[in-house]
């Protein structure tokens, strides 16, 4: 049937096109039917073979004996039982052996694929059967099946339909009279467009779409601005057979409630722009990536607990427009102090939160160690209004639950822009947390989009054809041409149409470096890119491609989060549980010098090693930076070992290092310190320790990254993973009265195994800070921001600048290990403001004095922030001293002090 010219009827007209169809054309009623209809069921068959390109197939581990044939069926009728002949085929292609060398690009792309026979077919044959059910069969001379497998098709699709990557108008484009629609669906047998007058009305029309055989893109003209639409896609799904999927557009720019239908609109239309949008600009605060000081914030967290926000706007984009609210006053104060960026946890369309009718758990119990609170949250966690949002549904559309009217496709666009505009007006740039590494769900599930349009293409598959899930969910394959394009196109859309200033890439190490650099080129170097460069899963150590990971991104200018100083500061690692949570103390919370009840006596070498790793972070984790370490040797940071087998220094330039001691993942710093500090530590001392973590982060070269509420001692009542712990465990208090520790044990799913440790801590009333402690931390944090903003010496531009201008004192085996001392040379440096700066961080419980002979006879004074009448830590002005005759510095316990020389 391939290539037969068919008349497709049932659309109120007819359209001639080249296609293969195995089912009757859809009718208008199908537009209001089920999200998926099985037209002809077929059993699922594992896909062990790889379609490398349009001509070559590789079957790992298969025997080379026998005859290889590619059977195909438009109706998904194939059956290949061992020892029998193939049944249900429309035809077969006999494949020849290919014994030559694979093309270099093909060999590189499929280097993870095991050894096995390589088979060849004509490119025209590959294109001819791509829309059909296909089985690769090894059979005997008499035609009996010896082995059979389905195929992984990405390599072939990328080769045959490479021209699709040049398309600039996938999705919907609104014209003067009607809209234009384009959908890449090269394996579809038929595609139709359904249009609706509203998000809930019956379908108004069905329009056949025309296939472009060169690109696999289907197109149609229909509908009008303000309507909604879906596609009907007839396609072979590996898990089901021939199906008719009623599906939204992967390139949706907006949707109706719960993403049931895509929205027709022109994002450049004046009606979608708030007043002043076109003239609104981001603040000019970031000349280089190292200027970034970031506050990571969840849209709902920001305002849901803020009574100064009008009820209709709480938890919504529009909360940011209420400039007199406590939350916006807080952000404005941070901006004034030196904060440059707000990074929003995912705000694209997500799959896990009901956009209408979500429920709020009823929590009455307030026992500090009670289990009822978490039980109430757990009971409704799939119906409540909360999730972090790391579950992408539609990458290019704003999330509807943050809109005041999710049913109106225009509303979320306008309100998102209002939020950005309000933050820009407050002097803050806006960044997005994006999750291109996985989708919410895949296969034939109702909330699957990509995999119901081009089954088996958009996701990364294992050797059996199953979807890899190392990221937690269904991993996408951005190494595939059109998934990589979707990522790049999506980022470009957010920059152009929503004035996004930067991106944080979740699990960025699962993307190819090449795809990230393509994205970087598309959005422009003025858009800052940072992300999680963790190295794990099926792509680890470059198994499939050069990753966008810590050790392989150097030189790109893209920033990676650094776990080096993070772990040294906090103690232990991100996945610790049980006794480790307490025993593994860190640099700021007592390692060696203030052992807690379970830590036992630790060797002094551990504190020295932690001190070295803290210095690694302060030096921007620059590979080539020379540091005198605890044993007296001077070595490059890349020669210091972290985690047993990794180089501590991984960055080529400081903008490639993102420094943090707390973010949305894992326990907050206040909570981890609740485990690790001795239980007798007072709440005010705990606030001081929190600010030691802030000081290390603030003074570190590179990007400074902070979790929202860090500055007000945010607690999640010891929750290690609050992604669906509801508003209760994720609250923020902009009145500065409570940090919400001891508000019940955190949810049992992730924390229950540690309840024996958690409950006694929550019962310790001394751990809960008083409002005065919270106010101290709030103001001390702003002081640190002001110090960082006061001089480019804390934000050096290049690795060479750091090597030339940053020097550490108090190093080697004779150091005072609880004191960090560093000198920054400002001579001739643009924006330095001071001739030189020396900063000291004393993590000890007692005051310390260190003497630096080279620092004699200087004209140091305390930084003006310290001597201000409004300085949060008045001890510094009263007690910190520099003695020019000896070069000695004296600083109070648990303090960070900056001396400057004019």
């Amino acid at each position: 049937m391939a290539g037969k010219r068919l008349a497709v009827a049932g659309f109120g007209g007819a359209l001639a096109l080249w296609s293969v169809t195995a089912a009757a054309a859809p009718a208008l009623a199908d537009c209001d039917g089920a999200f998926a209809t099985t037209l002809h069921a077929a059993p699922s068959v594992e896909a062990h073979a790889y379609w490398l390109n349009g001509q070559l197939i590789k079957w790992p581990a298969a025997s080379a004996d026998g005859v290889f044939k590619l059977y195909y069926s438009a109706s998904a009728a194939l059956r290949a039982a061992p020892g029998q002949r193939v049944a249900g085929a429309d035809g077969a292609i006999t494949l020849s052996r290919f014994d030559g060398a694979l093309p270099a690009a093909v060999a590189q792309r499929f280097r993870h694929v095991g050894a096995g026979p390589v088979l060849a077919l004509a490119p025209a044959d590959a294109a001819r059967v791509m829309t059909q059910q296909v089985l690769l069969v090894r059979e005997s001379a008499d035609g009996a099946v010896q082995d059979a497998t389905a195929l992984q098709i990405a390599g072939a699709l990328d080769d045959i339909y490479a021209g699709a990557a040049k398309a600039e108008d996938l999705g919907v484009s609104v014209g003067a009279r009607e809209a234009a629609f384009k959908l890449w669906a090269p394996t579809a047998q038929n595609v139709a467009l359904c249009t609706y007058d509203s998000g809930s009305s019956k379908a108004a029309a069905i329009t056949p779409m025309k296939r472009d055989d060169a690109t696999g893109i289907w197109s149609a003209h229909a509908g009008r601005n303000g309507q909604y639409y879906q596609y009907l896609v007839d396609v072979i799904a590996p898990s089901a057979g021939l199906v008719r999927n009623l599906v939204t557009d992967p390139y949706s720019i907006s949707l109706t409630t719960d993403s049931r239908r895509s929205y027709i609109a022109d994002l450049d239309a004046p009606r979608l722009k708030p007043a002043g949008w076109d003239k609104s600009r981001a603040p000019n605060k970031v000349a280089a990536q190292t200027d970034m000081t970031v506050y990571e914030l969840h849209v709902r967290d920001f305002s849901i607990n803020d009574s100064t926000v009008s009820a209709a706007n709480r938890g919504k984009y529009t909360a940011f427009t209420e400039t007199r609210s406590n939350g916006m006053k807080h952000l404005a104060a941070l901006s004034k102090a030196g904060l440059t960026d707000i990074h929003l946890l995912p705000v694209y369309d997500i799959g896990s939160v009901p956009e209408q009718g979500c429920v709020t758990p009823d929590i009455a119990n307030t026992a500090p160690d009670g289990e009822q609170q978490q039980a109430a949250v757990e009971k409704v966690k799939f119906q409540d209004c909360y999730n972090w949002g790391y579950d992408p549904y539609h990458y290019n559309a704003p999330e509807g639950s943050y809109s005041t009217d999710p049913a109106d496709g225009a509303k979320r666009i306008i309100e998102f822009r209002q939020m950005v505009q309000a933050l820009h007006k407050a002097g803050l740039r806006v960044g997005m947390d994006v999750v291109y590494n996985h989708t919410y769900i895949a296969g034939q599930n109702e909330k699957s989009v990509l995999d119901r349009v081009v089954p088996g293409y958009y996701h990364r598959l294992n050797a059996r054809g199953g979807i890899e899930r190392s990221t937690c969910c269904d991993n996408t394959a951005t190494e595939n041409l059109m998934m990589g394009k979707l990522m790049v196109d999506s980022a470009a859309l957010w920059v152009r149409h929503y004035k996004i200033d930067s991106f944080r890439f979740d699990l960025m190490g699962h993307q190819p470096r090449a795809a990230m650099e393509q994205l970087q080129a598309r959005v422009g170097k003025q858009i800052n890119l940072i992300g999680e460069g963790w190295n794990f899963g099926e792509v680890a150590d470059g198994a499939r491609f050069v990753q966008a990971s810590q050790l392989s991104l150097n030189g790109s200018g893209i920033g990676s989060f650094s776990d080096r100083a993070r772990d040294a500061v906090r103690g232990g690692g991100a996945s610790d549980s049980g006794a480790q949570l307490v025993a593994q103390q860190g640099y700021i919370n007592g390692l060696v010098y203030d052992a807690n009840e379970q830590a036992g006596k630790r060797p002094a070498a551990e504190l020295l090693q932690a001190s070295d790793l803290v210095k690694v972070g302060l030096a921007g984790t620059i590979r080539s930076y020379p540091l005198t370490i605890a044993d007296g040797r001077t070595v490059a940071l890349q020669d210091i070992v972290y985690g047993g087998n990794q180089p501590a220094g991984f960055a080529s330039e400081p903008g490639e290092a993102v420094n943090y001691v707390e973010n949305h993942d894992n326990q907050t710093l206040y909570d981890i310190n609740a485990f690790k500090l001795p239980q007798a530590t007072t709440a005010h001392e705990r606030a001081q320790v929190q600010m030691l973590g802030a000081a290390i982060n603030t003074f570190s070269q590179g990007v400074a990254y902070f979790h929202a509420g860090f500055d007000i001692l945010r607690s999640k009542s010891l929750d290690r993973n609050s992604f669906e712990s509801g508003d209760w465990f994720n609250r923020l208090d902009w009145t500065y009265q409570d940090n919400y520790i001891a508000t019940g044990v955190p949810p049992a799913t992730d924390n229950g195994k540690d309840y024996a440790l958690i409950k006694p801590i929550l019962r310790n009333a001394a751990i809960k800070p008083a409002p005065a402690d919270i106010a101290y931390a709030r103001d001390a944090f702003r002081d640190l921001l002001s110090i960082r903003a006061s001089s480019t010496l804390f934000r050096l531009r290049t690795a060479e600048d750091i090597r030339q201008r940053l020097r550490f004192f108090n190093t080697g085996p004779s150091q005072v290990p609880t004191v960090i001392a560093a000198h920054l040379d400002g001579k001739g440096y643009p924006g330095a403001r001071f001739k030189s700066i020396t900063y000291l961080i004393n993590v000890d419980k007692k005051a310390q004095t260190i003497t630096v002979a080279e620092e004699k006879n200087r004209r140091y004074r305390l930084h003006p922030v310290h001597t201000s009448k409004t300085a949060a830590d008045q001890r510094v002005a009263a007690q910190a001293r520099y003695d020019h005759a000896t070069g000695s510095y004296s600083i109070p316990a648990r303090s960070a002090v900056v001396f400057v020389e004019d």
Side-chain angles (χ1 to χ4, degrees):
M1 295 175 62
K4 184 177 180 181
R5 194 171 178 82
L6 302 173
V8 182
F11 295 80
L15 176 71
L17 73 161
W18 291 91
S19 184
V20 170
T21 56
L28 184 63
D30 293 311
C31 294
D32 297 309
F35 71 88
T37 302
T38 300
L39 303 177
H40 194 284
S44 178
V45 179
E46 290 188 345
H48 294 270
Y50 294 78
W51 221 318
L52 305 178
N53 58 19
Q55 297 175 270
L56 300 174
I57 293 170
K58 188 174 187 180
W59 192 349
S63 171
D65 297 333
V67 178
F68 290 88
K69 289 184 180 180
L70 202 62
Y71 286 89
Y72 52 90
S73 166
S75 60
L78 290 176
R79 301 294 184 271
Q84 300 180 24
R85 288 179 175 272
V86 173
D90 293 338
I93 301 166
T94 301
L95 305 179
S96 59
R97 305 291 176 83
F98 178 82
D99 297 319
L102 292 177
V106 170
Q108 182 71 6
R109 176 174 179 178
F110 292 99
R111 62 180 183 258
H112 64 286
V113 175
V118 178
L119 311 164
L121 74 167
D125 285 337
R128 181 166 59 91
V129 302
M130 199 57 69
T131 62
Q132 304 186 52
Q133 181 196 28
V134 177
L135 288 179
L136 175 58
V137 177
R138 184 174 66 85
E139 56 188 40
S140 60
D142 63 359
V145 174
Q146 295 179 317
D147 202 356
T149 180
L151 293 95
Q152 301 187 25
I153 61 175
L157 294 185
D158 286 351
D159 186 19
I160 297 169
Y161 303 107
K166 298 178 182 178
E168 297 180 354
D169 54 355
L170 293 176
V172 63
S173 304
V174 176
R177 294 187 176 180
E178 58 184 0
F181 301 84
K182 287 191 174 181
L183 176 72
W184 187 68
T187 61
Q189 295 182 3
N190 193 39
V191 182
L193 169 72
C194 300
T195 50
Y196 310 82
D197 290 333
S198 73
S200 57
S201 63
K202 293 282 188 180
I206 184 171
T207 305
M209 300 187 75
K210 182 179 180 180
R211 175 189 167 95
D212 174 22
D213 288 334
T215 62
I217 293 173
W218 297 72
S219 60
H221 289 79
R224 65 180 185 277
N225 195 38
Q227 286 188 312
Y228 295 82
Y229 69 104
Q230 292 187 93
Y231 296 116
L232 283 166
V233 181
D234 291 357
V235 68
I236 303 291
S239 62
L242 178 61
V243 296
R244 176 166 292 159
N245 285 327
L246 182 61
V247 62
T248 46
D249 191 341
Y251 274 72
S252 297
I253 57 168
S254 190
L255 304 114
T256 189
T257 308
D258 292 329
S259 311
R260 288 189 295 268
R261 293 172 182 173
S262 304
Y263 184 60
I264 302 174
D266 176 6
L267 290 175
D268 286 322
R271 73 182 185 90
L272 297 180
K273 298 176 181 179
W277 174 252
D278 286 336
K279 294 182 179 179
S280 176
R281 296 289 181 270
N284 186 22
K285 281 186 169 183
V286 175
Q289 188 143 302
T290 52
D291 287 332
M292 292 178 72
T293 306
V294 181
Y295 203 63
E296 179 198 46
L297 181 63
H298 185 273
V299 167
R300 186 172 174 88
D301 288 353
F302 172 66
S303 61
I304 196 65
N305 194 42
D306 188 349
S307 63
T308 64
V309 173
S310 57
N313 289 336
R314 288 178 204 158
K316 309 297 183 182
Y317 300 124
T318 47
F320 293 89
T321 67
E322 298 199 22
T323 57
R324 295 185 179 181
S325 70
N326 287 340
M328 281 305 291
K329 288 178 181 177
H330 185 87
L331 296 188
L334 290 174
S335 174
K336 183 179 179 181
L339 191 74
T340 66
D341 288 65
I342 296 294
H343 267 207
L344 299 168
L345 267 71
V347 283
Y348 52 71
D349 184 51
I350 63 176
S352 56
V353 174
E355 293 181 355
Q356 189 172 29
C358 63
V359 300
T360 300
D362 183 16
I363 299 175
N365 188 295
T366 57
D369 62 341
E371 296 188 29
Q372 295 86 348
Q373 299 97 317
Q374 66 86 30
V377 170
E378 184 76 12
K379 183 179 180 181
V380 299
K381 68 180 181 181
F382 297 122
Q383 294 84 42
D384 76 350
C385 312
Y386 194 90
N387 198 285
W388 280 346
Y390 292 88
D391 40 20
Y393 197 173
H394 297 87
Y395 286 114
N396 298 350
E399 163 59 13
S401 68
Y402 301 143
S403 171
T404 60
D405 184 4
D408 183 350
K411 204 79 165 178
R412 66 182 72 185
I413 297 170
I414 296 168
E415 292 177 345
F416 191 110
R417 287 170 163 172
Q418 288 176 317
M419 171 183 67
V420 172
Q421 194 172 17
L423 287 168
H424 281 169
K425 189 174 181 181
L428 294 162
R429 302 177 349 131
V430 181
M432 277 183 68
D433 196 333
V434 287
V435 187
Y436 296 114
N437 63 81
H438 63 247
T439 57
Y440 177 56
I441 211 159
Q444 282 296 107
N445 292 281
E446 183 172 6
K447 290 190 176 183
S448 169
V449 178
L450 299 174
D451 211 24
R452 291 203 295 130
V453 174
V454 191
Y457 175 80
Y458 282 101
H459 293 87
R460 187 173 298 127
L461 307 179
N462 61 29
R464 301 179 304 280
I467 296 175
E468 296 279 10
R469 304 189 83 250
S470 59
T471 66
C472 82
C473 310
D474 296 305
N475 295 1
T476 56
T478 41
E479 64 271 29
N480 294 348
L481 187 66
M482 296 302 284
M483 183 59 219
K485 174 180 169 58
L486 174 56
M487 179 176 76
V488 173
D489 287 349
S490 177
L493 179 146
W494 290 109
V495 169
R496 179 187 169 192
H497 291 292
Y498 292 95
K499 302 186 179 182
I500 293 300
D501 304 300
S502 60
F503 292 97
R504 176 215 182 258
F505 291 83
D506 182 66
L507 300 183
M508 182 175 61
H510 270 61
Q511 320 294 1
R513 172 173 168 152
M516 287 297 300
E517 289 184 318
Q518 184 184 0
L519 186 153
Q520 185 182 46
R522 176 78 175 277
V523 301
K525 286 291 184 76
Q526 77 281 4
I527 303 300
N528 303 106
L529 308 181
I530 64 174
E532 292 181 304
W534 313 134
N535 176 37
F536 70 97
E538 72 282 357
V539 299
D541 302 321
R544 299 198 180 202
F545 44 76
V546 176
Q547 300 159 261
S549 59
Q550 274 182 345
L551 299 184
S552 52
L553 263 180
N554 61 298
S556 68
I558 298 170
S560 291
F561 282 84
S562 176
D563 43 1
R564 277 62 170 161
R566 178 203 70 186
D567 289 352
V569 167
R570 292 167 65 100
S575 60
D576 287 352
S577 61
Q580 286 182 317
L581 280 171
V582 179
Q584 298 292 326
Q585 289 179 282
Y587 189 65
I588 65 171
N589 52 37
L591 176 62
V592 176
Y593 62 90
D594 191 21
N596 65 41
E597 296 78 4
Q598 296 184 40
K601 185 173 178 58
R602 309 301 302 173
E606 289 189 11
L607 179 59
L608 290 167
Q609 183 181 33
S611 176
D612 283 345
L613 283 175
V614 169
K615 295 182 184 82
V616 168
L618 289 164
T621 69
I622 298 300
R623 289 171 176 253
S624 58
Y625 182 82
L627 177 68
T628 301
I629 59 175
D631 63 9
R633 293 180 299 133
T634 299
V635 299
L637 300 189
Q638 65 186 0
D639 295 325
I640 298 173
V641 177
Y642 163 76
N645 59 0
Q646 298 181 62
F650 63 78
S652 292
E653 298 293 342
E656 295 170 2
V658 182
N659 304 299
Y660 74 115
V661 292
E662 172 186 319
N663 73 349
H664 65 273
D665 285 319
N666 310 120
Q667 296 91 346
T668 68
L669 185 62
Y670 199 86
D671 285 348
I672 208 69
N673 286 339
F675 286 108
K676 296 180 187 296
L677 284 167
Q679 289 298 293
T681 309
T682 68
H684 186 69
E685 288 169 334
R686 293 173 185 275
Q688 290 176 332
V689 170
Q690 184 102 346
M691 289 305 103
L692 291 173
I696 290 170
N697 216 38
T698 304
F699 297 163
S700 292
Q701 301 295 333
V703 176
Y705 202 92
F706 299 95
H707 184 210
F710 175 90
D711 51 325
I712 53 173
L713 308 181
R714 184 179 191 171
S715 170
K716 297 178 181 179
S717 208
L718 308 188
D719 195 348
R720 68 180 305 121
N721 188 18
S722 69
F723 79 104
E724 57 181 2
S725 298
D727 297 325
W728 183 263
F729 291 100
N730 286 285
R731 285 175 293 175
L732 287 164
D733 180 10
W734 302 127
T735 69
Y736 317 125
Q737 299 303 297
D738 199 344
N739 78 335
Y740 298 117
I741 198 168
T743 52
V745 293
T749 302
D750 285 306
N751 305 276
K753 63 183 181 298
D754 291 322
Y755 275 0
L757 286 172
I758 289 171
K759 287 188 174 186
I761 294 172
L762 295 181
R763 288 195 295 266
N764 181 0
I767 288 177
K768 194 172 188 70
D773 302 319
I774 296 171
Y776 160 79
R778 174 199 66 201
D779 296 343
F781 183 77
R782 294 174 189 175
D783 286 349
L784 289 167
L785 291 183
S786 296
I787 290 171
R788 178 178 170 87
S790 72
S791 175
T792 52
L793 294 179
F794 292 109
R795 300 170 276 120
L796 293 168
R797 275 36 182 158
T798 69
E800 183 60 23
D801 290 342
I802 295 173
R803 285 191 296 268
Q804 293 294 326
R805 295 180 180 273
L806 173 63
R807 181 181 180 188
F808 289 101
F809 302 129
N810 186 43
T811 60
S814 62
Q815 67 182 273
V816 178
T818 53
V819 177
I820 302 285
H823 177 82
L824 291 160
D825 179 7
K827 187 177 181 181
Y829 198 72
R833 184 178 170 189
F834 306 108
K835 178 181 177 182
S836 65
I837 292 174
T838 292
Y839 64 80
L840 301 100
I841 302 169
N842 176 21
V843 300
D844 212 333
K845 294 196 302 180
K846 59 186 179 182
Q848 291 284 2
T849 298
I850 67 164
T851 300
V852 183
E854 303 97 310
E855 291 283 89
K856 288 182 184 179
N857 300 317
R858 305 296 288 265
R859 295 187 176 182
Y860 282 116
R861 61 185 174 91
L862 286 171
H863 193 287
V865 167
H866 291 315
T867 56
S868 168
K869 292 181 180 179
T870 60
D873 193 344
Q874 293 290 326
R875 298 177 305 151
V876 174
Q879 301 174 32
R881 295 290 182 267
Y882 161 71
D883 184 346
H884 71 91
T886 61
S888 296
Y889 296 91
S890 299
I891 56 174
R894 287 178 169 145
S895 68
V897 181
V898 179
F899 293 90
V900 297
E901 185 179 34
D902 297 311

